[in-house]
Amino acid sequence: MDNRNFTMLTDYYELTMMQGYFKNKIDSKVVFDLFYRQNPDEGGFAICAGLLHAIEYIKNLNFDHDDIEYLRKTGDFEDDFLDYLGNFHFTGDLYAIPEGTVIFPREPLVKVVAPIIEAQLVETALLNLINHQSLIATKAARVCYAARGGAVMEFGLRRAQGPDAGTFGARAAVIGGCVGTSNVICAKEYGVPALGTHAHSWIMTFPDELTAFRKYAELYPGNTTLLVDTYDTLRSGVPNAIKVFEELREKNQMPRNYGIRLDSGDLAYLSKKARQMLDDAGFEDAKICASSDLDEYLIDNVLSQGAMIDSWGVGTNMITSKDTPAFGGVYKLAAVANGEVSSDSSENWDPKIKLSENTVKVTNPGNKTVFRITDRETGKIRADLIALAGETFDPEQDMTLFDPDSTWKRTRLDGGTYDMKEILIPIFKNGECVYESPSTLEIQAFCKDQLKTLWDESRRLVNPQQVHVDLSDKLYDMKAILLEKYSQR
């Protein structure tokens, strides 16, 4: 899946604009920002994911002979432009917030600094890769939070919107906190645990439930989890599972890991009854796993009713992010070079802004970066600050933050009480990758630490406290000047 060339994974208008730039000899360096406007599920945060595949995409950008011939046959592209595409590759810079980082609306997740013709092409694929995986990683983080420390397994491949969504999405779910996946190709490609036991069809294949349980325990003596709801959970499934466990105990063959799985019915009621039955039989360490069209709200509700569930298999609602099926990331022009420019400076960049009657759609101009501001004592996030590239700040000095839309809302940070870190980091410089992606499990561990930097109020599933994303004084002033300039037209 990772070895395909995604160069043609683009919208047609990217190519028509590219030819327009080429024919008009427009080759200025530009800055494009990829960002999103609203957290999924009306939550208080999102998780950045998809950078690994974005890097592979940029590395492999090239139009092969078949691509060129296809474009030639459309009749829309001239020979000199097609000749140019035959030698195309990415020569610019790309900055990104690393995968697994907690992120917030409006801040650039990816910044592309490149000749306009290159920066235009990469729009669609970058949005596709970052949008989807950030969405699923965010959903998984919410589900894992709702599980209150219980393990969450990703079980969604059969309901995903295609193989790529199922596989890249499973990887993103692991980044967001899932302990593993049922998706074998994902487990193989990304080095994450492959998980799963058996289906109802296994039970129904044998003459009776007890025989099916016995045969499964014989096959997998180290990890015996039995699905107990095929016929009758409390009258048949759990009693038969207990009988198999008793037989194993008598033979001194107890599995290292064992338990039951509930896949239907009232999970709160059934898990409490099953727990009592297991405990009464002396199997206090048997685990209870639950599945059945779960999401964070149902898990939270079931646990609030005292459910005795140790782990969760979550499929459809997580792999599709069913209640919020799109991340909503956008890719907007922010600056055009006017002379010699640097990706790490705002000098000689002409800022560009998109206006709208909808305030949230007004863009932030200029060549920018993002700083994370954390409380020095607790390590919790106080705010994020979008600033012009090259700006510096002294955390030993007092700082006043303000809402860029409601400027009377202000927060004072006393010098010495906070720390600042630039989180938009270089990934490509002059077309060469300068960043090595960590493994998926390393990103998962990083994400776990990132989530600890959120205040509990921002992790609430419903009506969370929103983290402030503010503008530096210089950026705010630049934006105000452009707003005034274009409002006069």
Side-chain angles (χ1 to χ4, degrees), residues 260-263 267 288-292 294 309 311-314:
I260 63 171
R261 177 161 72 96
L262 305 170
D263 190 49
L267 297 179
I288 299 178
C289 174
S291 46
S292 183
L294 300 170
I309 297 172
S311 62
W312 309 83
V314 186

Side-chain angles (χ1 to χ4, degrees), residues 157-226:
L157 178 59
R158 64 189 60 192
R159 303 283 177 75
Q161 285 98 341
D164 286 331
T167 302
F168 295 171
R171 174 183 179 271
V174 171
I175 288 173
C178 291
V179 297
T181 177
S182 65
N183 184 331
V184 179
I185 194 170
C186 175
K188 173 178 175 289
E189 291 296 323
Y190 303 118
V192 303
L195 302 172
T197 55
H198 63 82
H200 298 103
S201 57
W202 172 268
I203 307 297
M204 293 184 286
T205 300
F206 291 88
D208 56 75
E209 187 176 56
L210 182 58
T211 301
F213 285 174
R214 284 171 172 159
K215 292 297 184 182
Y216 190 83
E218 289 174 10
L219 277 171
Y220 303 103
N223 188 5
T224 306
T225 299
L226 304 174

Side-chain angles (χ1 to χ4, degrees), residues 95-108:
Y95 293 68
I97 295 177
E99 290 189 282
T101 303
V102 169
I103 51 175
F104 308 105
R106 299 185 296 179
E107 58 194 21

Side-chain angles (χ1 to χ4, degrees), residues 465-484:
Q465 175 67 32
Q466 299 297 323
V467 174
H468 295 292
V469 178
D470 300 320
L471 306 183
S472 71
D473 290 342
K474 288 184 178 179
L475 177 53
Y476 179 82
D477 291 342
M478 172 188 286
K479 185 174 184 178
I481 290 170
L482 290 177
L483 288 172
E484 179 67 21

Side-chain angles (χ1 to χ4, degrees), residues 181-334:
T181 177
S182 65
N183 184 331
V184 179
I185 194 170
C186 175
K188 173 178 175 289
E189 291 296 323
Y190 303 118
V192 303
L195 302 172
T197 55
H198 63 82
H200 298 103
S201 57
W202 172 268
I203 307 297
M204 293 184 286
T205 300
F206 291 88
D208 56 75
E209 187 176 56
L210 182 58
T211 301
F213 285 174
R214 284 171 172 159
K215 292 297 184 182
Y216 190 83
E218 289 174 10
L219 277 171
Y220 303 103
N223 188 5
T224 306
T225 299
L226 304 174
L227 180 59
V228 297
D229 74 325
T230 303
Y231 302 118
D232 189 309
T233 300
L234 298 181
R235 294 183 180 181
S236 172
V238 177
N240 280 327
I242 288 173
K243 186 171 182 61
V244 170
F245 298 152
E246 288 173 338
E247 293 171 354
L248 293 172
R249 183 169 58 188
E250 290 172 3
K251 299 175 184 178
N252 290 320
Q253 295 178 353
M254 285 302 295
R256 293 188 306 274
N257 302 300
Y258 73 104
I260 63 171
R261 177 161 72 96
L262 305 170
D263 190 49
S264 60
D266 187 324
L267 297 179
Y269 173 78
L270 292 174
S271 67
K272 286 184 281 189
K273 289 293 187 180
R275 180 77 273 161
Q276 187 63 54
M277 295 167 70
L278 290 163
D279 290 352
D280 289 347
F283 299 110
E284 293 89 350
D285 56 345
K287 302 298 183 184
I288 299 178
C289 174
S291 46
S292 183
D293 289 328
L294 300 170
D295 63 13
E296 65 267 44
Y297 303 107
L298 182 55
I299 291 173
D300 182 63
N301 185 264
V302 166
L303 287 174
S304 296
Q305 295 175 28
M308 304 297 289
I309 297 172
D310 302 292
S311 62
W312 309 83
V314 186
T316 305
N317 293 324
M318 184 163 63
I319 200 64
T320 64
S321 188
K322 187 174 181 179
D323 44 3
T324 304
F327 193 66
V330 295
Y331 185 84
K332 299 297 181 183
L333 180 68

Side-chain angles (χ1 to χ4, degrees), residues 340-355:
E340 291 295 320
V341 293
S342 166
S343 299
D344 300 313
S345 170
S346 60
E347 293 184 6
N348 295 332
W349 288 102
D350 286 339
K352 300 295 180 179
I353 190 170
K354 177 191 178 297
L355 301 186

